[in-house]
Amino acid sequence: MDICKIHENASKCSVNTMECFMVLSTQAQKISIAMLCGLFGTLCIFENSLVLYLIFSSPRTRRKPSYLFISSLALADILASIIFVCSFVNFHVFNETDFSKETFLLQLGGVNTSFSASLSSLLLTALDRYISISRPSEYKLLMTGKRAWIALGVVWVTCTTIASLPLLGWNCCTLDSTCSELFPFVDDNYLSSWICFTMVLLGCIVYAYAHVLWRAHQHVAYMEKHQVQVGKQNTRMRMDVMLAKTLVMVLTVLVLCWSPVLVLMIYSIFARLSNRLRKVFAFCSTLCLLNSMVNPIIYALRSKELYSSLRMVFSRFRRQLKASEESPEAESTHKSSMIET
């Protein structure tokens, strides 16, 4: 008999019921999950840390609101990778259940906060591009560094508050309501609300980028038709078009990586999931890490400022490495000449 059916009703909030959420039944599945999480998580932390270093090591980039939003995205992806990998592998691979309901909801809240902040940071970046292209003459007045920091503060506080609701009492144990089939102790109504919140964010991002692409297309068509050369204004248009295309690539990767997870979450609300579908959900969850890993690669390849900074870092590293390799040879040559003397 299915262990999930045994622990329904009165004992549904016992820590022992978490065993029914451990859907990986074979050693090969556990090793696959561990390897995916280890690979994606390690690369994600390294790449996003490099993005943060490139942005904040340059006075020019760290003052720009657009790069502040990208920094928030990178920070959220780093936190998501650390919390997600540790909790996910510990639960599904090592089958660790030696923790309380509050501890599990705290870990889940950390994952939700990080991924929600990542998506919200992408929304702020989309709005930044929207204002830059739709109202270019007023951009510097509307989008200041102070307003960018305030927007980031509001985003992180909002995401933290929403993610903390299950820990604060909105869970199926406290309310004695229907529990989710995908997450222990999580109320189905809360999961529905979180999905709606995520879909609203995605809808706003898609709308903003649709407008950005339309205006970018207009700029390109106008410049090609009239062959306008207006110095810095023309350069600014090209930069806006370039960054818009870059962030659309980020959005495309985001939708492709998150769609399977969101579809299965929505399906779980209206129908009972089989063990096979829950295994599919476990593997699809690693796509969220893949999304966080791919974002910095897109920045490095598409952003000229970050790409040039990255080249400078690598050239500086090569010079230091070359100097360290040559110094022992120089020292040995100096010693041999002293001996001959």
Side-chain angles (χ1 to χ4, degrees):
M1 186 179 294
D2 190 352
I3 191 172
C4 296
K5 294 180 180 179
I6 296 176
H7 290 294
E8 282 179 351
N9 302 324
S11 61
K12 66 182 179 181
C13 293
S14 170
V15 176
N16 294 330
T17 62
M18 286 194 290
E19 294 176 3
C20 71
F21 293 91
M22 298 174 181
V23 294
L24 304 181
S25 55
T26 66
Q27 196 68 18
Q29 294 173 355
K30 294 180 180 180
I31 293 175
S32 300
I33 284 287
M35 291 180 63
L36 289 174
C37 289
L39 177 62
F40 293 160
T42 302
L43 290 176
C44 178
I45 293 172
F46 171 76
E47 292 169 0
N48 284 287
S49 298
L50 182 60
V51 168
L52 288 176
Y53 172 77
L54 293 176
I55 291 175
F56 285 97
S57 63
S58 172
R60 183 180 179 182
T61 55
R62 66 170 174 253
R63 293 195 191 102
K64 293 184 177 182
S66 57
Y67 285 107
L68 288 178
F69 299 146
I70 292 175
S71 301
S72 175
L73 178 62
L75 177 62
D77 286 337
I78 290 174
L79 294 177
S81 299
I82 295 174
I83 302 173
F84 178 84
V85 170
C86 292
S87 59
F88 196 78
V89 171
N90 192 42
F91 185 81
H92 283 288
V93 177
F94 298 107
N95 300 137
E96 183 64 45
T97 59
D98 189 21
F99 47 81
S100 62
K101 176 193 72 176
E102 289 74 18
T103 302
F104 178 84
L105 292 178
L106 180 63
Q107 293 176 353
L108 184 63
V111 174
N112 284 347
T113 298
S114 303
F115 281 127
S116 298
S118 177
L119 189 59
S120 300
S121 298
L122 191 58
L123 174 60
L124 290 179
T125 310
L127 295 177
D128 174 75
R129 292 299 91 202
Y130 178 89
I131 296 173
S132 176
I133 287 186
S134 62
R135 306 173 70 175
S137 59
E138 305 174 29
Y139 173 76
K140 290 187 177 180
L141 295 176
L142 294 174
M143 190 58 67
T144 61
K146 182 179 180 180
R147 290 182 177 178
W149 282 109
I150 292 174
L152 288 175
V154 171
V155 159
W156 279 89
V157 170
T158 302
C159 292
T160 303
T161 302
I162 293 175
S164 301
L165 291 178
L167 183 62
L168 297 176
W170 192 356
N171 56 74
C172 59
C173 302
T174 304
L175 301 177
D176 194 23
S177 55
T178 305
C179 293
S180 169
E181 293 187 24
L182 294 174
F183 305 100
F185 314 126
V186 173
D187 180 67
D188 257 349
N189 292 327
Y190 171 80
L191 183 60
S192 303
S193 301
W194 188 84
I195 293 172
C196 290
F197 172 70
T198 304
M199 297 300 290
V200 168
L201 289 178
L202 284 173
C204 293
I205 294 173
V206 170
Y207 173 80
Y209 277 124
H211 184 83
V212 166
L213 282 180
W214 178 64
R215 294 301 295 266
H217 175 72
Q218 283 187 326
H219 284 169
V220 173
Y222 181 82
M223 288 187 290
E224 289 180 350
K225 181 178 180 180
H226 299 279
Q227 296 182 352
V228 178
Q229 297 294 332
V230 289
K232 293 184 178 180
Q233 182 67 21
N234 194 32
T235 303
R236 176 59 181 268
M237 285 183 180
R238 288 198 182 101
M239 288 178 61
D240 287 339
V241 171
M242 186 73 173
L243 191 53
K245 291 180 179 178
T246 299
L247 296 175
V248 167
M249 291 174 63
V250 175
L251 177 62
T252 303
V253 173
L254 177 76
V255 172
L256 291 177
C257 290
W258 275 85
S259 293
V261 173
L262 290 176
V263 168
L264 287 174
M265 285 183 182
I266 295 173
Y267 182 77
S268 70
I269 295 173
F270 299 101
R272 192 172 185 87
L273 294 178
S274 63
N275 286 335
R276 184 177 182 180
L277 281 178
R278 293 199 292 167
K279 288 180 182 179
V280 171
F281 178 79
F283 279 93
C284 287
S285 298
T286 60
L287 292 176
C288 303
L289 279 179
L290 177 63
N291 168 68
S292 299
M293 184 193 74
V294 170
N295 285 345
I297 298 176
I298 299 176
Y299 303 147
L301 293 177
R302 301 288 297 179
S303 173
K304 289 185 177 180
E305 291 177 296
L306 290 184
Y307 184 70
S308 61
S309 298
L310 182 62
R311 291 184 62 181
M312 289 177 61
V313 169
F314 279 127
S315 62
R316 192 184 313 132
F317 176 75
R318 283 198 300 266
R319 287 196 301 268
Q320 292 177 353
L321 186 62
K322 187 177 180 181
S324 63
E325 290 177 351
E326 292 178 351
S327 58
E329 298 177 1
E331 185 178 353
S332 62
T333 303
H334 177 71
K335 287 182 178 180
S336 62
S337 63
M338 290 290 294
I339 293 173
E340 291 177 359
T341 304

